[in-house]
Amino acid sequence: MIPLAASTAADRAAFRFEIPERFNFTADVIDRWAADPAKLAMLWTDGRHERRVTFAALAEGASRFGDALLRAGLKPGDRLFLMMGREVAWWQAVLGAFKAGIVPMPATTQLRSKDIAYRIQAAGAVAALADPASAMEIDLAHADGLRLRILAGAGPEVPAGWTPYEDLVADGDPHRAFPPTLATDPALLYFTSGTTGNPKMVLHNHAYPLGHTVTGRFWLDLGPDDLHWNISDTGWAKAAWSSLFAPWLQGAAIIVDAAPGRFDPRRTLQMLQDLAPTSLCAAPTIYRMLVLEDLTQHRYPRLRSCVSAGEPLNPEVIETWRRGTGLTIRDGYGQTETVCVVGNFPDLPLRPGSMGKPCPGFDVQIIDDQGQPLPAGQEGDIAVRVKPEIPPGVFHGYYKDPEGTASRMVGDYYITGDRGIRDEDGYLWFVGRADDVILSAAYRIGPFEVESALMTHPAVAEAAVVSSPDPIRGSIVKAFVVTKPGAAATAAELQAHVQKVTAPYKYPREVEFVAELPKTVSGKIKRFELRALENARKRQA
């Protein structure tokens, strides 16, 4: 039985994962909700039209697509490269692939032919599903290993070698009986966001969706009557988190916004009023843009829950959102390699800036280099226990990369690559990526704390802090700052502000004003690019 939303401390304490030998998210979850032919799964809009999609319609489309893949010669375990925007076909294709035992590989539509060629070759994909623009890039990638190319949203002229998705699905059998999948069978392959070097392949099995029970039930706090909006591109793992597994495990419907163009904060606030979701999930970058608007000019008639994930959200943004909407944004923490493993739950007293506490079912510790848990107040690696048994939702290693997997295992733990601190009450606090922490004149300085201090200045919209080489101190704190429209500040003003807000030794000794910050497709700041820029500049100086 799929549990209803519950997020009390007692429920969390009593929670245990139960993983059956055989499990398939489409067959065991989607088909079950589809038993009610009227139950809403998705409210889709492109800004001009709205479409209400039921679980029953999704289930039928998934069966048709899964059948079509198998009849086209694909077999369980084969990889399907999936590159398209927020169209209903994306969800049907993922669900259909699951049912057939085929492994979807979602990719962002911002990839270009070189990126595509790397991913298809590295994973050994044999089929691709794409929208027209993405199909052109796939053809440019010269991916000869693709035996089947499927085009969604095809116009009157279909490129050579491509089969229209609509035709394929129309010919599929909606009543096909699919063999059951083992919980340990491969199910979903994601590439990490690639903030450093080539992205790694994260292969999850069919038990992975069950790990998102904690994401949907305890962190998002969703139930069957909720309407959840996750502002996410289909190509990164946050879509699997919050636009697929977590809400649909709980029977909640989702909003999908497929409007073209760049993110529009004013339109987003209007949609919160007009579509009336009960729950919102967005990356910190989205919230930072939203709080630049006058939040009091809109109503939020049913909104009761707001969460953020991807990287920590600055306390100043949380407070501005609370003043404007009356709601508090709750941070959650996880990775492409995991589900939500740390979170601020609805009944947990919020400590702005904290990641929250470990989610039920996961032992999350701050450990030293030998894999031993550290006492409160000491900085170490944020780690998830994977021995003697890997909990559902945590990957089993990087695909085809045993060395990369071994580098992330210390003692009984998987180390996330992030540094943190646990306080006396068990709250976890993010310090920074392990390679982002700044060592300056023997001081260890986490960039997030400095960025948060900068964000409390009324002129600052965004900030990124990195190390910059210095002949005396080894490194100094360098801040790249984006100011709010119409606002201005001097470097000296910001430096003095940081010295008042946090420990004076942490202030940025150099401040550079920029129009925008480099980011990954998932909205995370690429600090490594800024750090590389600083290193190159200092070498040339």
Side-chain angles (χ1 to χ4, degrees), residues 318-331:
I318 296 174
E319 176 57 23
T320 303
W321 183 262
R322 186 196 64 77
R323 290 197 305 265
T325 67
L327 298 165
T328 299
I329 303 169
R330 296 180 289 107
D331 255 332

Side-chain angles (χ1 to χ4, degrees), residues 172-189:
D173 181 359
H175 305 295
R176 177 170 184 153
F178 295 89
T181 54
L182 295 174
T184 54
D185 285 343
L188 179 67
L189 192 150

Side-chain angles (χ1 to χ4, degrees), residues 438-490:
I438 302 164
L439 298 177
S440 181
Y443 288 107
R444 291 178 60 85
I445 302 170
F448 178 67
E449 187 174 4
V450 184
E451 291 166 0
S452 294
L454 286 164
M455 290 289 293
T456 62
H457 190 281
V460 176
E462 284 191 301
V465 167
V466 300
S467 64
S468 181
D470 182 80
I472 305 299
R473 299 174 179 272
S475 296
I476 59 171
V477 177
K478 169 70 176 281
F480 293 83
V481 174
V482 179
T483 57
K484 296 177 181 177
T490 66

Side-chain angles (χ1 to χ4, degrees), residues 86 229-233 236 238 257 261-269 272 280-293 295 307-314 317 321 329 455 461-462 519 521-525:
R86 293 184 284 266
W229 187 12
N230 174 42
I231 303 176
S232 170
D233 179 70
W236 66 297
K238 193 66 185 70
D257 178 22
R262 296 174 64 89
F263 174 74
D264 185 340
R266 292 184 182 179
R267 177 176 175 272
T268 299
L269 293 173
L272 288 174
L280 175 68
C281 180
T285 299
I286 299 295
Y287 282 112
R288 293 185 192 118
M289 296 175 70
L290 291 175
V291 298
L292 297 179
E293 303 294 325
L295 300 174
V307 299
S308 176
E311 59 181 355
L313 190 57
N314 312 88
V317 177
W321 183 262
I329 303 169
M455 290 289 293
E462 284 191 301
K519 294 172 183 171
V521 294
S522 59
K524 297 178 183 178
I525 297 171

Side-chain angles (χ1 to χ4, degrees), residues 367 370-372 383-388 409-414:
I367 66 171
Q370 284 71 50
Q372 297 302 312
V384 182
R385 184 183 290 276
V386 292
K387 293 181 181 179
M409 303 299 168
V410 177
D412 293 343
Y413 293 90
Y414 157 69

Side-chain angles (χ1 to χ4, degrees), residues 500-520:
K500 292 178 182 178
V501 173
T502 188
Y505 70 86
K506 298 179 181 180
Y507 85 94
R509 294 177 182 270
E510 292 183 4
V511 177
E512 182 174 337
F513 295 96
V514 294
E516 60 182 359
L517 299 173
K519 294 172 183 171
T520 68

Side-chain angles (χ1 to χ4, degrees), residues 39-76:
K39 183 163 179 55
L40 182 69
M42 177 190 299
L43 175 58
W44 181 94
T45 178
D46 62 1
R48 296 175 301 166
H49 309 97
E50 289 185 7
R51 179 179 172 188
R52 299 175 68 85
V53 183
T54 63
F55 280 104
L58 281 176
E60 178 181 339
S63 291
R64 288 180 179 276
F65 185 70
D67 172 68
L69 291 179
L70 295 177
R71 288 195 297 107
L74 273 70
K75 59 184 183 300

